[in-house]
Every structure is written in structure tokens, then in C-alpha cells.
Amino acid sequence: MSSRNMRDRIVDELGDVPRSRFLVYLMGPYEAFDVERVLETTDPDAVPESIDFGTLVDADRELERDEAALDLLLEVRDHLRTVAGVNAFLAIDVDVPLAEMDAASQSIAFARASNVVAYVVPAVGDNLGVGIEVGSVLEALFDEANAAHRRERVFFVHESGVSSAMIAAVRDRWEARIYAYDGREDLCRQLRLFVRDVIRKERTGKLSRLD
């Protein structure tokens, strides 16, 4: 499926916002960090200090652990749709059967079809899955003739205090933009500003329009 056809399919499924054809693909962990499993398999002294086992980072107390990471992504998605007026979406928002396209191929297709690709890495999330996705998607995006322009559309933002080999690889191998955030409000603000910057670059011709 071509990027243009995928763009049309995504827009048709997401519905109308002021900038319906400006697509922001949000990636991140859908599941919470499994505290019990980590404590069973990891030396407690080796656990990063950034992980607070007593609370969920910026999550409401009544939320179940497994809902916290997904709740963060949903809030960011809805913020970008309502405040920035762009068609932000998660992979689960677009109905592409696995029989038609496997999950890894879907992520690559969504990224190629989008104006912005944003990776969100919270401390509370189980980031192994998103780390694998980051590698496959960035390899596909930047192994193209227009890799430099693609790089302008990729935003990687992690919660302050979170560090990993994945983040270092994103910086060193792909030279993607990496920022840290403190809390949900700061996360939404940084993503909103990045999206607005890409919109401005498209309007002024510094970046080509995808349509």
C-alpha cells in the first residue's frame, strides 16, 4: 500500500479535525512497567532511580497499573487533536487487520504516511516493545532518499530521569531530536510546539507537503 493510500485510509477512519490531513503518529508503551516481574528477576540495587515503585508518574491514583501508560498516550493524542487541531493517532486507532499487514509493517506504513512521528517514553512504561518499534521504524524512514527531511519530522521525548541504550542509539545512529519532559503538561506542550514547527516549515516550503 502506498503512503498516499495509507494517508487516505487513516484520515477516513479518524474523522474530522481542523487539520485532518496533518497526521501525527504517536508511539509508546501501552502497558505499565511490571514492578513485580522486575523485582523477581533484577537486582534491586540495579534498578534505575528514576523508577518510583510507590506511585505512577503523573497518573491518577484510581488508575490500574496496566492502564497508566496507555492513559498517558491517549491524553496526549486527545490534546493534540483538540488544542493543535491535528489528526494525532495511535496504532490501535486504525483498523488494519494483522492478516492484511503485520504489526511491524503497520508501524512503518503509519510512520511513512504521517507528517510527524513522535515517540513517548514514560518512566512508568514497559519500553521494550517501543524500543523494538523505534529501531524498525527509524531504519525504514531514514533508509530513503529524503532521510534528511524525514528526520525533521521525528520527535523522541522521554520522561526526565529515564535513560537507556535505546535513547543513546536514537541519538547516535539516527541523530533524531531527543528531549526530556517533566509531567504531562510539559509533555503535551513540547509535542504541541514541535507539531506547530513542522506545520510552519510545510507552509514556508522548508519541508514538502505530503499531499
Side-chain angles (χ1 to χ4, degrees):
M1 180 181 295
S2 69
S3 295
R4 177 60 184 270
N5 290 340
M6 179 58 79
R7 281 178 62 79
D8 291 339
R9 182 168 182 173
I10 295 170
V11 171
D12 288 343
E13 292 202 25
L14 295 182
D16 293 330
V17 293
R19 295 185 177 90
S20 292
R21 296 198 67 81
F22 193 97
L23 302 180
V24 179
Y25 179 32
L26 290 172
M27 301 179 68
Y30 291 170
E31 296 181 356
F33 195 87
D34 191 336
V35 176
E36 290 76 16
R37 174 170 58 83
V38 171
L39 289 179
E40 289 176 357
T41 60
T42 305
D43 179 358
D45 293 333
V47 176
E49 294 180 359
S50 62
I51 298 174
D52 181 357
F53 291 143
T55 61
L56 294 177
V57 177
D58 277 327
D60 295 334
R61 292 283 183 171
E62 64 269 17
L63 284 176
E64 295 292 336
R65 297 195 60 82
D66 291 342
E67 295 177 346
L70 178 57
D71 174 77
L72 175 65
L73 292 176
L74 292 174
E75 182 173 327
V76 170
R77 179 201 65 186
D78 294 345
H79 174 85
L80 290 175
R81 290 178 64 86
T82 57
V83 177
V86 296
N87 241 338
F89 70 100
L90 310 180
I92 58 176
D93 293 326
V94 184
D95 185 18
V96 179
L98 291 177
E100 176 183 342
M101 184 181 294
D102 64 82
S105 296
Q106 285 186 33
S107 286
I108 293 171
F110 293 158
R112 284 176 168 161
S114 296
N115 301 74
V116 167
V117 179
Y119 300 89
V120 179
V121 183
V124 73
D126 185 346
N127 294 304
L128 175 60
V130 73
I132 295 172
E133 279 192 299
V134 166
S136 62
V137 170
L138 291 183
E139 282 288 347
L141 284 182
F142 296 161
D143 188 24
E144 299 177 349
N146 61 345
H149 283 234
R150 284 289 186 183
R151 190 172 289 109
E152 292 287 320
R153 300 180 181 275
V154 176
F155 189 68
F156 191 99
V157 58
H158 63 88
E159 188 167 2
S160 294
V162 174
S163 62
S164 70
M166 173 184 64
I167 296 174
V170 169
R171 178 185 295 109
D172 298 339
R173 181 176 178 84
W174 295 289
E175 299 180 356
R177 298 187 183 188
I178 300 177
Y179 294 89
Y181 71 90
D182 296 299
R184 294 192 179 198
E185 183 177 346
D186 186 36
L187 170 61
C188 289
R189 180 187 64 82
Q190 292 198 45
L191 285 169
R192 186 176 67 250
L193 292 176
F194 183 80
V195 165
R196 289 179 177 174
D197 185 54
V198 173
I199 292 174
R200 178 186 59 80
K201 288 178 178 178
E202 288 191 358
R203 284 177 175 173
T204 59
K206 290 185 178 180
L207 283 176
S208 60
R209 296 178 182 268
L210 298 189
D211 288 324

